[in-house]
């Protein structure tokens, strides 16, 4: 068997998320179809983690094994021909069989992009271009970056992020979106470590970039929704420790829209 | 009656063009629905011209009359709330009743965007980002800009553009897309004047910008497809006069994909 690691970028707008679902267009499903078309083999590529409906990826990572022998550049080209333009394979490489896109992941970075209709520089309402709308949260409030930056500092380090995890009444309190090694076997571990997080103004957008050892389901979108409450002045910066301590989803702010979220990159140990 | 002129931008990806069609999402249809929702009135807004399925607009112009009296800023805001994020009203103004988005148009500018997989600077294949794919032609050839620039010069001025017009076997040889004053009444006039046209490298794209008194159906996409043939070396620059003289669609090159085309702006006489 040949073991593969692919990085891929996708526009999540028209996909029902990463994970394969019957009758619905998903990234994993499209990739499986393209692999079948190119190699004749039926494999389900594993992602570094799931992304939800409408969430994008700049560099998702996937792994799978094939019987077929094919040079990496050829597999990449053939898959890009078979896939829709909304999914592009950026790199394809042969890896050791111990490599697993989810289990081997060490750090993951997400990026969240906000378009502000009102800014300090232009207090009258700006209009979010139709060409930007699928890739940013068109936020009606003017957001003050400094308090959001301060509030974000409280989240860095190791915490129980239960307050920022999706609570799913049917399948338990929260669900692991991603890559925690103990994930599936022992139930999701709500304790995660954020290694780096911060806001920046970039190209007229307000961008949040956050790197962590792992993330719970909806965790980045719930963090951004809560920090936006801080930015618009409806939540005090020093409420963040209380929200963390509550270990209850209702303590935190709303979930920011999916379209602003990008899986930026996934890091692995060097081989 | 209050007479209105609106400029609007739209992402054409998911619309079946400008013109209203039963059961299909169109820009004109969405706008009519939003106007009905906001004012209660049933009006069909007139565009400066039709755009095809998948063609975008940076600044389309539309006109219509309403009984309702409403301040321009309020109409703009209410329409933007009622419309999908893929259509944005950029400006709204009250105009004289003689104003008509199509009949009053004097010049129109289109922009066509090409992503080149192979360029002189990067001869190995570049990958068109999924976030760019809906807004550019992902062109497999390396294109030489100088001969395309030379070929474009032959098209400037007043010519019979029959060779670059969509030939429609059911409805006659070609159909007016747009704004020629004699259009509907006397059948399309294939003689058009291109006032300015040229290629430029912009943000990693090859961009064609063309300004004319009016355009035939598919004219810009057929011009770009033909100039791309020149750019990749399969058509000689000095074939362009022969193609114009042929007055036959089969003489020119292929139609470039819709997704690369943007209606850039429409100009009117100052009032």
């Amino acid at each position: 068997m040949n073991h593969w690691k692919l990085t891929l970028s996708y526009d999540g707008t028209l996909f029902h998320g990463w994970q394969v679902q019957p009758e619905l267009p998903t990234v994993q499903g499209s990739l499986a179809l393209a692999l079948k078309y190119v190699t004749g083999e039926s494999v389900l590529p594993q992602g570094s983690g799931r992304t939800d409906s409408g969430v994008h990826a700049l560099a998702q990572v996937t792994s799978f094994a094939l019987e077929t022998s094919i040079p990496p550049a050829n597999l990449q080209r053939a898959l890009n021909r078979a896939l829709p333009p909304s999914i592009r394979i950026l790199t394809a490489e042969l890896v050791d069989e111990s490599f697993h896109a989810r289990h081997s992941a060490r750090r993951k970075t997400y990026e969240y992009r906000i378009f502000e209709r009102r800014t300090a520089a232009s207090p009258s309402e700006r209009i979010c271009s139709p060409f930007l709308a699928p890739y940013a949260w068109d936020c009606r409030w003017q957001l003050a970056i400094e308090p959001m930056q301060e509030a974000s500092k409280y989240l860095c380090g190791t915490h129980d992020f239960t307050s920022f995890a999706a609570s799913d009444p049917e399948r338990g309190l929260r669900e692991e979106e991603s890559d925690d090694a103990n994930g599936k076997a022992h139930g999701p571990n709500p304790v995660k470590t954020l290694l780096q997080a911060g806001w920046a103004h970039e190209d007229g957008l307000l961008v949040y970039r956050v790197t962590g050892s792992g993330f719970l389901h909806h965790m980045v979108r719930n963090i951004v929704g809560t920090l936006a409450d801080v930015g618009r002045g409806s939540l005090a910066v020093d409420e963040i420790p209380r929200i963390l301590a509550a270990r209850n989803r209702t303590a935190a702010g709303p979930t920011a829209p999916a379209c602003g979220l990008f899986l930026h990159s996934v890091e692995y140990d060097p081989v």
Side-chain angles (χ1 to χ4, degrees), chain A:
Chain A
M1 294 292 271
N2 296 293
H3 296 269
W4 288 94
K5 175 191 178 191
L6 267 52
T7 59
L8 65 159
S9 179
Y10 49 82
D11 177 341
T13 309
L14 298 179
F15 292 106
H16 289 256
W18 165 265
Q19 194 171 32
V20 72
Q21 294 183 58
E23 311 290 325
L24 291 174
T26 66
V27 180
Q28 190 181 34
S30 303
L31 198 52
L33 267 178
L35 281 165
K36 173 88 181 170
Y37 177 82
V38 169
T39 66
E41 297 183 54
S42 292
V43 295
L44 191 64
Q46 297 301 309
S48 74
R50 286 175 280 161
T51 51
D52 282 333
S53 268
V55 173
H56 315 291
L58 299 172
Q60 167 72 289
V61 174
T62 183
S63 61
F64 52 85
L66 292 175
E67 303 275 1
T68 315
S69 255
I70 177 172
N74 296 20
L75 182 64
Q76 181 190 8
R77 210 164 29 232
L79 286 175
N80 279 337
R81 267 199 291 262
L83 287 164
S86 48
I87 305 177
R88 291 294 89 180
I89 308 299
L90 304 178
T91 64
E93 50 193 309
L94 287 160
V95 287
D96 190 84
E97 68 174 314
S98 68
F99 181 85
H100 186 285
R102 188 171 75 247
H103 300 153
S104 312
R106 290 293 161 262
R107 294 150 53 110
K108 214 180 239 183
T109 300
Y110 280 95
E111 189 175 299
Y112 195 96
R113 304 182 186 173
I114 300 180
F115 174 87
E116 295 173 277
R117 290 194 198 169
R118 297 174 192 283
T119 67
S122 90
S124 74
E125 194 163 292
R126 300 195 303 160
I127 288 167
C128 183
S129 151
F131 309 105
L132 180 59
Y135 312 119
W137 174 17
D138 180 9
C139 180
R140 54 197 284 221
W141 305 302
Q142 180 181 329
L143 303 173
I145 194 170
E146 295 79 8
M148 293 166 82
Q149 206 72 280
E150 287 305 307
S152 173
K153 284 182 192 161
Y154 283 115
L155 299 170
C156 285
T158 302
H159 305 281
D160 182 324
F161 281 96
T162 300
S163 295
F164 294 95
S167 55
D168 183 333
E170 279 176 39
R171 294 182 287 174
L173 254 180
R174 58 201 170 265
E175 190 172 76
E176 183 93 348
E177 183 184 358
S178 107
D179 61 298
D180 197 45
N182 329 331
K184 292 283 161 182
H186 310 289
N189 178 357
V191 176
K192 304 288 176 201
T193 301
L194 295 195
L195 301 153
Q196 227 172 350
W199 292 92
H201 286 292
E202 290 177 18
D203 300 322
L205 296 174
L206 197 50
V207 177
Y208 188 57
R209 220 167 268 122
V210 54
T211 301
S213 60
F215 293 88
L216 297 161
H217 191 215
H218 280 185
M219 184 168 144
V220 180
R221 289 165 59 192
N222 291 340
I223 288 176
V224 169
T226 306
L227 296 183
D229 274 356
V230 172
R232 74 190 178 102
S234 73
L235 182 70
V237 171
D238 55 15
E239 288 288 293
I240 301 294
R242 189 192 55 76
I243 292 172
L244 277 169
R247 301 183 55 209
N248 187 318
R249 175 68 189 95
T250 61
T255 307
C259 63
L261 185 60
F262 292 73
L263 173 55
H264 176 278
S265 52
V266 191
E267 288 168 74
Y268 296 88
D269 289 334
V271 281

